[in-house]
Amino acid sequence: MEATPGAFPPTPEPESPVLVSSQLSLSQAVYKRREEYTVQKRTKVKVGTWNVAALSGTEKDIKGWFVDGKGISEHLSGLTLERQKKSAEGINNVESVEDQEERRSKKRPTVPKNDPGLVPGGKEIGLYVLGLQEIVDVASTTEALRPFNDPHPARKWKQAVAEALPSGYELVAEQQLIGLFLLVYASPTIMPSISHVSTTSVGTGLLGYLGNKGAVTTRIVLGETTRIVFINCHLGAGVEKGALERRNWDASQILGKTKFDPIIEDGGINDGHQETIGEEDFAFWFGDLNYRLEGLPGEDVRRLLMLHTKGEYGHNRASQAKIAYELDIAKSAATKSDDEAMRQRIKDDIASIPDAAEMSHNEALTSASSHTDSQNVDLSSDATTLQATLTPLLAHDQLFAQIRQQKAFHDGWREGDVTFLPTYKYDVGSVGMFDSSDKRRGPSWCDRILFRTRRDKSLYEEQVRNEAESQKKDNEMKLRGVVETATAEAVLFDYDPETDGADNEIDESSANLETVPTKAGFEDKLHLDYYTSHQRVLSSDHKPLDAVFTIDYDAVDPEQKARVYQEVARELDKAENEGRPVVTVVVDRHRNIATPLGQASDQESVDFGDVKYDHIKKHSITIANTGRVPATVGFVDRSAITGEPDSVAPPWLTIRFDRPSDNKNPNPGALQDYTLEPGDAINVELSINITDSHLARRLNSGVETLDDVLILRIQNGRDYFLPLHGDWQQSAFGRSIEKLIRLPEGGVRKLQHQHPEGSSPGHDAVKWSVPRELFRLTDATEKLVERAVGEWEMRGEQDEAPWVHEMGWPFSGWTVEEGQRKMLKRIVMEGLDCDTPFEDYWPADTTSIQRLEAVADTLLDFLNSLEDGVITETLWTELESGMIEREKLKKTHARQEEQAWILDIFSAAPPHSVAFTFLTFMLTNIASEIAPLTKSDLPASPSSSTTTSSLGPQNQTGAYALRRKVIAAYTSIFAAAMIRLPKDSKGKAKRASEGRRHHVLEVFLPSQDE
């Protein structure tokens, strides 16, 4: 059995302890000392939500309410008096409601002038999280069925938020789903500690999956320790039968379908697990949840609430007169018996609420009833009176009911005290006029902000387990007999009103310090500071809502962690026996140094820096025998760490020693050993060159990283661990055409550390009809061919032109030395990935032919790297089936007819069809340039058919023969690069498929100018 990497070899004394050191045990030892390299930090998170109803001008208010905390009514907010007192002087100067409503305009903010802001904002906030709904008209069938997001509204909002935030705040994440839009920004101090950002979306709208309803979600990791999830949703609307169940269904779909990218834990271990909602430490669920007030006439609720809002207006003003008119209408429509019936319904519903809530609701109901009976009391002057009105209404809130009935959001989700008026539905431009349209929709708290900690979810799961256990015990008791069951019930339902609820009392001193054990093993804290609506924002029929949270979290200090890592390594290294072989490993001393575990080192890894596609990066290391005895060294299998069988090095790394191995086994997979005498040293070259398109694809998507470790084993000694790291630079190579046409102008490198194709495939807008990289390569190839041929003819070269003796030139038979061509290809690839002109980087002394061959070679590499080719396996399968049927008919078809038939099949995938046309057009033009024809060169009766005989021996002389040879060579080269055959194709069937593949290109590459 092979020894564990890092283990000391067996000693002659069997009873002696065996010490084991490996990368895993080192990481575990470092983790045990985590308190030494983590520091507790505190930040504020502001979560805002707003349904903007697709109304123009709403973005003008974003700075006022979301960033500066303005637009809150001091009488209708329910905020603590402490915050109001701090701004008392400013409040007295705030613009009146009447003046505010009269000056409202879509071209400027609607928040009141001279508003000091009543909730924290500006630079006080570490994370700004904004969830918007209906940035487009989701009621429009056109928008609901749109196969991609309209980026223009999102761009408008993104610009408005960026301009509103203080200087230095950076975008962490953004995600759009039709009308839903989520933005997360971080302060300059918080941004460096954010990692593992993953965004996704789930549609639950039309047909159960379209994006007019659903959620957009972001997961981040704060300080390398704390997982946070933000969910912005828009659930099903309506009050008709089945609407409530649909909202619950929407929520369940969001929970079940939301998946995030895997998190690579410390040590580089990644099991590919996609985290879901519920695995985070803190979650915030907000948006237009659309839960309504149930069992109360909407007109009665409007009248009751407008008794409060009318106090916001001065006497004898038009706005107050309109509300008074609405109240008179409602009053005349409602009889006293109607009022009594409404109160009785509220009392009946409150009776179903647990005792503690019942008392406060009943008291509030009594207060609300007494006030609503009197028309002479100003209900807006007292926050207690407002809450007395809201509390009984909340007893009819569907969301609270669904939580109590355990139908939705019952698994630990919480909400702050609702001390503000319903956020829906208002007349646009009004502070306090609820919907006065013909529909007169009943007010509701549609917009909500919920939150949940890992502790909340754990307590819920524990409760479920306890209930299941209790049910199990009850069933067991019933099986024992009636007498025992009756006795048990007497105990189970024993009730003492003096002691009931004592265990559930909350210690106010500890309420502000709610401790939350995190998934990473730390203890964070969360506190809800503010939760309120912004009543005096007038630009939508919904009032915006925000909440401010304070989070205390443990953040990793990189410098302290490095110190602990070095100390642990030194402690493990002290066990090294001096009688065993000892070597020292030096890594490019001018770059960084790697030393044995247990010895001090400021830099311990081999860092290749930026790694680009098909760009070789090298590092040299020196292994020196610094001990007193010979040392036999060699890199060994890392499977115990990586899980990859028989793997000495990752597939992207090449290892070369500067001397032959002691092992004479010629098998490349055999382990190689090298013996060093004391004082002797050996040099090792480590190189990276990513040319495998499958590996490039995994690196582009973040599924794989250039992080690994080599294990250097010293026989009869201990193992040395050499971490490897490289920063992969996003590349256009290895992607699919569908992903490339979605890349923005500026090149794929512009999206470094992001996902160009989106976390949820299909939601990014198509920006190009054909990949921009393909267009640039074909365009450059054509122009350089024309220039190279022209320059050759102008110079009157004595040597034979390369295209005369090499028919596939410039795509084969290159004249430029391989090393120089690869250097020029790197220029082309960098130009593609950065979207910069090739001309800016060509060396001044390079000729047109040298440039052409580099571009042509790069074009072939690009085509071969495409994930599914220009002509996909699916398209080819359909096309080949039709070709086989045509072959059976033994009928010759005109070239134009066959071209039309092929393109009709390709039209099922427009980007691929356009790419095919680009390439065949380019090849036709190049063939015409390097093998031109005149009328005298053509055969007497050229055939327009595409039968095999058209490439027969006749007319195989002169310019026409040269053209035919060029076309044949191009067909052979590009058929394999462009068309993907089924992977299971082999033998005779494969050879037949290759012939048909050539034929498809021959149809579009005529041997004469047409």
Side-chain angles (χ1 to χ4, degrees):
M1 183 174 66
E2 187 177 1
T4 302
F8 284 106
T11 60
E13 298 79 20
E15 296 182 358
S16 298
V18 177
L19 301 178
V20 179
S21 68
S22 70
Q23 186 65 27
L24 289 180
S25 63
L26 175 60
S27 298
Q28 291 166 356
V30 171
Y31 179 75
K32 289 180 180 179
R33 295 176 56 178
R34 60 188 181 277
E35 293 183 358
E36 299 180 35
Y37 60 80
T38 56
V39 293
Q40 189 151 104
K41 293 188 176 181
R42 171 173 292 183
T43 190
K44 288 187 180 295
V45 179
K46 176 178 274 193
V47 178
T49 178
W50 194 16
N51 186 323
V52 298
L55 293 171
S56 61
T58 47
E59 74 279 1
K60 304 293 183 181
D61 284 323
I62 199 67
K63 174 175 173 56
W65 75 265
F66 184 55
V67 178
D68 297 336
K70 300 178 180 181
I72 299 173
S73 169
E74 64 173 310
H75 300 303
L76 304 177
S77 66
L79 287 182
T80 59
L81 294 176
E82 289 76 4
R83 188 74 183 183
Q84 292 189 18
K85 289 178 181 178
K86 290 180 181 179
S87 305
E89 182 177 349
I91 289 176
N92 294 333
N93 297 323
V94 175
E95 180 182 25
S96 69
V97 171
E98 297 84 359
D99 292 341
Q100 179 191 0
E101 291 185 351
E102 288 177 2
R103 69 166 177 81
R104 183 184 73 88
S105 169
K106 294 181 180 179
K107 297 182 179 180
R108 55 180 179 268
T110 67
V111 294
K113 296 179 179 179
N114 303 320
D115 190 334
L118 296 181
V119 295
K123 295 183 178 180
E124 289 184 76
I125 305 299
L127 278 174
Y128 280 99
V129 183
L130 176 63
L132 299 171
Q133 304 87 46
E134 296 192 33
I135 63 171
V136 300
D137 183 7
V138 296
S140 165
T141 305
T142 301
E143 292 293 344
L145 297 178
R146 186 191 294 271
F148 55 86
N149 291 319
D150 181 358
H152 300 293
R155 190 179 301 123
K156 175 184 70 175
W157 278 101
K158 184 177 174 182
Q159 178 181 350
V161 174
E163 292 175 352
L165 291 172
S167 176
Y169 279 70
E170 296 184 42
L171 178 66
V172 175
E174 63 174 306
Q175 185 76 356
Q176 182 186 1
L177 176 64
I178 309 298
L180 281 165
F181 193 40
L182 175 63
L183 287 171
V184 181
Y185 281 85
S187 68
T189 56
I190 296 296
M191 188 66 186
S193 65
I194 294 177
S195 61
H196 299 104
V197 179
S198 178
T199 60
T200 185
S201 56
V202 173
T204 64
L206 294 175
L207 306 179
Y209 67 90
L210 292 183
N212 58 312
K213 292 293 186 293
V216 287
T217 310
T218 289
R219 190 273 326 275
I220 68 172
V221 176
L222 187 60
E224 297 186 31
T225 62
T226 303
R227 289 166 164 82
I228 306 178
V229 166
F230 302 105
I231 309 158
N232 171 31
C233 77
H234 193 182
L235 306 185
V239 296
E240 62 276 3
K241 183 179 181 181
L244 176 59
E245 287 72 17
R246 181 54 188 257
R247 286 189 273 277
N248 294 344
W249 184 86
D250 288 349
S252 68
Q253 291 297 296
I254 293 166
L255 284 170
K257 293 183 178 179
T258 299
K259 296 184 184 301
F260 304 108
D261 293 340
I263 290 180
I264 300 177
E265 300 288 358
D266 192 17
I269 301 174
N270 174 20
D271 60 3
H273 169 66
Q274 287 188 294
E275 292 192 347
T276 58
I277 297 173
E279 298 184 59
E280 69 287 336
D281 302 313
F282 300 106
F284 303 90
W285 191 319
F286 47 93
D288 186 353
L289 277 64
N290 255 322
Y291 287 102
R292 309 302 174 95
L293 291 177
E294 194 169 48
L296 296 177
E299 187 60 31
D300 291 349
V301 178
R302 289 181 68 252
R303 178 171 61 86
L304 180 62
L305 293 177
M306 284 194 295
L307 289 174
H308 288 273
T309 61
K310 75 171 185 177
E312 293 291 288
Y313 300 90
H315 293 292
N316 301 322
R317 300 299 291 263
S319 298
Q320 190 197 46
K322 184 176 180 181
I323 288 184
Y325 175 73
E326 289 288 326
L327 288 173
D328 288 342
I329 294 176
K331 187 66 176 177
S332 61
T335 65
K336 183 174 182 181
S337 62
D338 292 332
D339 289 347
E340 291 297 332
M342 175 183 175
R343 294 192 188 97
Q344 186 59 45
R345 283 195 297 273
I346 294 176
K347 290 178 180 179
D348 292 342
D349 280 352
I350 292 177
S352 64
I353 302 175
D355 293 345
E358 180 179 345
M359 294 202 52
S360 61
H361 284 317
N362 281 329
E363 292 171 1
L365 177 60
T366 303
S367 174
S369 300
S370 63
H371 283 300
T372 53
D373 286 340
S374 174
Q375 295 297 311
N376 298 321
V377 178
D378 182 6
L379 298 185
S380 65
S381 63
D382 184 4
T384 304
T385 304
L386 173 64
Q387 195 59 43
T389 300
L390 300 183
T391 301
L393 294 179
L394 287 167
H396 289 260
D397 177 64
Q398 287 181 337
L399 176 57
F400 288 162
Q402 298 309 293
I403 293 174
R404 288 195 302 272
Q405 298 167 22
Q406 297 194 359
K407 292 183 177 180
F409 298 101
H410 55 282
D411 50 346
W413 292 98
R414 293 187 280 161
E415 183 180 24
D417 293 337
V418 178
T419 60
F420 46 85
L421 291 176
T423 56
Y424 175 84
K425 176 183 190 300
Y426 294 83
D427 288 353
V428 176
S430 169
V431 169
M433 173 60 73
F434 288 95
D435 184 18
S436 63
S437 68
D438 293 339
K439 293 184 178 181
R440 279 178 157 72
R441 297 175 180 87
S444 294
W445 284 276
C446 291
D447 310 281
R448 313 293 273 267
I449 299 176
L450 310 179
F451 63 98
R452 183 177 70 182
T453 67
R454 176 175 290 273
R455 178 174 176 271
D456 295 328
K457 189 170 186 295
S458 298
L459 290 175
Y460 164 75
E461 292 169 346
E462 181 181 359
Q463 177 187 349
V464 171
R465 289 193 297 269
N466 291 341
E467 290 176 354
E469 185 67 25
S470 297
Q471 183 64 43
K472 180 180 178 181
K473 290 181 180 179
D474 288 347
N475 293 336
E476 292 174 353
M477 291 168 63
K478 291 177 182 178
L479 292 175
R480 296 194 196 110
V482 178
V483 176
E484 289 183 314
T485 303
T487 304
E489 288 178 351
V491 175
L492 286 173
F493 294 100
D494 186 22
Y495 176 71
D496 183 355
E498 297 298 327
T499 61
D500 182 59
D503 293 338
N504 297 324
E505 292 182 0
I506 299 176
D507 181 3
E508 293 296 334
S509 63
S510 63
N512 293 339
L513 300 172
E514 178 185 344
T515 301
V516 179
T518 70
K519 186 174 184 178
F522 297 90
E523 290 188 349
D524 292 353
K525 295 180 176 64
L526 176 73
H527 181 256
L528 172 60
D529 301 335
Y530 298 94
Y531 182 38
T532 189
S533 67
H534 295 257
Q535 193 71 22
R536 296 190 64 177
V537 176
L538 313 181
S539 49
S540 174
D541 58 356
H542 288 249
K543 298 301 181 183
L545 183 68
D546 61 11
V548 179
F549 299 86
T550 296
I551 295 181
D552 289 352
Y553 64 99
D554 289 287
V556 170
D557 184 327
E559 294 183 1
Q560 291 300 318
K561 185 177 183 180
R563 176 187 62 78
V564 171
Y565 188 95
Q566 294 166 14
E567 291 178 1
V568 170
R570 283 197 299 268
E571 291 170 3
L572 293 176
D573 200 52
K574 288 179 182 178
E576 190 75 48
N577 191 322
E578 293 184 357
R580 302 181 189 273
V582 177
V583 302
T584 298
V585 182
V586 179
V587 183
D588 273 3
R589 190 172 293 277
H590 66 284
R591 289 285 303 274
N592 48 35
I593 298 176
T595 60
L597 294 179
Q599 295 186 11
S601 174
D602 293 331
Q603 297 171 309
E604 297 180 336
S605 66
V606 178
D607 189 351
F608 289 92
D610 293 344
V611 178
K612 304 171 183 177
Y613 185 81
D614 202 14
H615 287 210
I616 299 176
K617 297 296 290 288
K618 297 180 179 180
H619 257 295
S620 295
I621 67 173
T622 301
I623 305 172
N625 185 348
T626 55
R628 300 178 181 180
V629 296
T632 300
V633 303
F635 291 107
V636 297
D637 180 22
R638 315 147 29 253
S639 58
I641 291 180
T642 64
E644 300 173 2
D646 302 326
S647 172
V648 170
W652 39 264
L653 186 74
T654 301
I655 303 175
R656 292 188 180 89
F657 287 82
D658 68 352
R659 68 177 68 174
S661 167
D662 299 344
N663 186 355
K664 304 304 181 182
N665 188 342
N667 185 351
L671 299 180
Q672 305 297 317
D673 294 329
Y674 303 84
T675 299
L676 303 176
E677 296 296 327
D680 193 8
I682 188 172
N683 292 320
V684 184
E685 180 186 84
L686 306 179
S687 61
I688 293 181
N689 188 20
I690 309 297
T691 56
D692 179 12
S693 59
H694 177 70
L695 176 58
R697 197 171 303 129
R698 292 171 62 83
L699 290 168
N700 282 332
S701 64
V703 173
E704 187 159 342
T705 62
L706 298 178
D707 290 286
D708 215 302
V709 61
L710 296 180
I711 302 174
L712 181 67
R713 175 156 296 167
I714 297 88
Q715 291 185 13
N716 299 320
R718 60 172 303 170
D719 291 348
Y720 288 69
F721 297 91
L722 195 62
L724 309 173
H725 173 72
D727 292 315
W728 173 250
Q729 302 299 295
Q730 291 288 329
S731 174
F733 288 76
R735 300 179 186 272
S736 66
I737 286 180
E738 282 71 16
K739 294 175 183 177
L740 289 169
I741 60 176
R742 288 169 169 79
L743 295 178
E745 189 170 358
V748 68
R749 199 69 56 73
K750 185 178 180 181
L751 301 178
Q752 191 73 17
H753 306 306
Q754 299 185 35
H755 293 282
E757 62 271 23
S759 295
S760 296
H763 294 307
D764 285 345
V766 173
K767 298 178 173 60
W768 315 101
S769 60
V770 70
R772 183 172 170 80
E773 294 77 9
L774 182 60
F775 170 78
R776 294 188 63 198
L777 286 170
T778 54
D779 182 64
T781 302
E782 285 191 58
K783 291 179 179 178
L784 286 170
V785 166
E786 183 179 356
R787 187 180 305 169
V789 172
E791 290 178 359
W792 187 280
E793 294 174 349
M794 288 179 60
R795 290 197 303 268
E797 297 284 354
Q798 298 299 319
D799 296 336
E800 193 175 51
W803 55 85
V804 174
H805 59 81
E806 178 55 53
M807 299 300 99
W809 190 89
F811 305 105
S812 65
W814 297 294
T815 62
V816 181
E817 185 269 329
E818 183 179 6
Q820 183 183 15
R821 192 174 74 254
K822 284 189 174 182
M823 181 272 291
L824 295 174
K825 283 175 63 179
R826 287 196 289 270
I827 291 176
V828 178
M829 292 178 182
E830 189 71 6
L832 292 176
D833 291 340
C834 297
D835 198 17
T836 53
F838 306 144
E839 293 76 9
D840 293 352
Y841 301 102
W842 293 125
D845 58 347
T846 54
T847 65
S848 296
I849 287 182
Q850 291 171 336
R851 298 178 182 184
L852 170 60
E853 291 187 359
V855 172
D857 195 2
T858 304
L859 172 59
L860 289 176
D861 286 349
F862 177 77
L863 295 176
N864 283 307
S865 78
L866 289 175
E867 183 174 354
D868 49 3
V870 175
I871 303 305
T872 66
E873 183 177 329
T874 301
L875 288 176
W876 174 251
T877 300
E878 181 180 354
L879 179 60
E880 187 176 32
S881 298
M883 294 175 72
I884 293 173
E885 292 298 323
R886 286 180 167 225
E887 289 170 4
K888 293 178 180 178
L889 299 175
K890 298 181 180 181
K891 180 181 179 182
T892 301
H893 300 276
R895 182 185 301 276
Q896 290 80 3
E897 179 187 348
E898 195 156 8
Q899 285 178 346
W901 175 70
I902 293 173
L903 290 177
D904 182 59
I905 293 176
F906 290 170
S907 66
H912 292 262
S913 179
V914 176
F916 179 85
T917 303
F918 261 77
L919 288 164
T920 53
F921 184 75
M922 175 202 73
L923 293 175
T924 301
N925 289 344
I926 293 175
S928 299
E929 186 67 36
I930 66 176
L933 296 177
T934 63
K935 291 185 177 180
S936 61
D937 295 322
L938 299 178
S941 300
S943 172
S944 61
S945 69
T946 59
T947 61
T948 304
S949 63
S950 65
L951 293 178
Q954 69 273 19
N955 302 312
Q956 297 295 304
T957 59
Y960 184 68
L962 176 62
R963 168 68 69 86
R964 294 169 65 82
K965 291 178 182 178
V966 169
I967 293 298
Y970 287 177
T971 297
S972 177
I973 294 170
F974 278 84
M978 293 169 59
I979 302 175
R980 297 290 189 264
L981 297 183
K983 295 181 177 60
D984 57 356
S985 179
K986 54 186 176 181
K988 185 178 179 180
K990 183 176 182 180
R991 289 191 294 273
S993 293
E994 289 173 347
R996 297 185 187 101
R997 186 165 62 175
H998 288 191
H999 177 74
V1000 170
L1001 281 186
E1002 290 168 1
V1003 171
F1004 290 88
L1005 300 180
S1007 56
Q1008 63 186 63
D1009 296 330
E1010 296 180 350

